[in-house]
Amino acid sequence: MGNPNRFNQFRAEIATNRLAPATSNLWEFRLPPPVFMASQFGRFNSDIRETVSNINYFANSVTVPSRAVTTGEVNNFGMIRRFATGQTNSSINVSFLVTKDQSHRAFFEKWMHYCASDSDNTVGFYDDYVTDMTVVKWESGANFRIINDNNDQKDKEHRGALNPMQASAVYQIYGAFPVNVSTMTLDNEQTSLLIMEVEFYFERYRMDPVASKTLKYRQKQPAFTWQEVQLRVEGSGNPDVQRYSV
């Protein structure tokens, strides 16, 4: 009788890179501002644009939401039988490094004040304060390399070519808005970085894998220029995600 757990087989599967364990520190957070922050002409001021453009750099961690199936039950006689009735999701939590100008704290404070004002006890219009967030999971090591456009054609090994990072999964969160901004403790102890955690509620989310086949290593990796990669991305059928990055 053969051994059901063969280490050599496991090592061979891992070596393909497609089935290698995923890392937790390669990801991207995208947060478009809600509609109410735009002017009457549909434009955002420079402060809002700057905060949104650099928010990914100051996002320290993100907790991808869970998904659960709600159930009902029937017990006429004998064993209980359960059946699916719907779905429920947990909230999504994102922690941010707080900057000296407190711009991100002010951004979420303004957002929450529009959702439910504490001065006149009014609430905003739902469609005006929700937005669609995106969490992109990146992985290093695609099965091709990127070369310079003016690379020497005689260089068959493509020395200096780069292995790009590739988006392997996309979490699209629909109808999100902040419901809680965590406390921040100030003290006279040893200097440390201020962390702010924001909790979001949302309607639903979708998780989609992205081109898993290109994570699989080959014996000889092909090399492409940036222009060739862009053509392949545009023709991939997934225009919402920029799949490759160095």
Side-chain angles (χ1 to χ4, degrees), residues 145 147 151 154-161 220-221 223:
R145 293 184 295 171
I147 59 176
N151 187 73
K154 298 179 180 180
D155 184 7
K156 301 299 183 183
E157 299 299 326
H158 300 296
R159 298 180 181 86
K220 185 175 179 60
Q221 295 181 355

Side-chain angles (χ1 to χ4, degrees), residues 50-70:
E50 181 182 15
T51 300
V52 171
S53 64
N54 62 34
I55 199 168
N56 176 59
Y57 297 108
F58 295 98
N60 187 56
S61 66
V62 59
T63 302
V64 177
S66 65
R67 184 187 298 278
V69 174
T70 58

Side-chain angles (χ1 to χ4, degrees), residues 145-149 151 153 158 160-162 223-226 228:
R145 293 184 295 171
I146 295 179
I147 59 176
N148 198 317
D149 292 336
N151 187 73
Q153 298 298 324
H158 300 296
L162 300 174
F224 304 101
T225 63
W226 267 117
E228 292 172 331

Side-chain angles (χ1 to χ4, degrees), residues 39-112:
S39 66
Q40 60 180 343
F41 301 105
R43 298 180 179 179
F44 298 96
N45 61 41
S46 58
D47 292 337
I48 297 297
R49 292 199 303 269
E50 181 182 15
T51 300
V52 171
S53 64
N54 62 34
I55 199 168
N56 176 59
Y57 297 108
F58 295 98
N60 187 56
S61 66
V62 59
T63 302
V64 177
S66 65
R67 184 187 298 278
V69 174
T70 58
T71 60
E73 62 181 39
V74 59
N75 185 18
N76 295 330
F77 61 90
M79 300 298 293
I80 295 176
R81 183 176 63 183
R82 293 181 174 86
F83 54 91
T85 58
Q87 283 194 14
T88 181
N89 302 312
S90 66
S91 59
I92 180 172
N93 294 276
V94 186
S95 64
F96 298 92
L97 295 173
V98 180
T99 58
K100 291 185 177 181
D101 63 359
Q102 303 286 324
S103 58
H104 296 95
R105 176 83 189 203
F107 175 80
F108 289 110
E109 291 273 355
K110 180 180 180 180
W111 192 346
M112 295 177 69

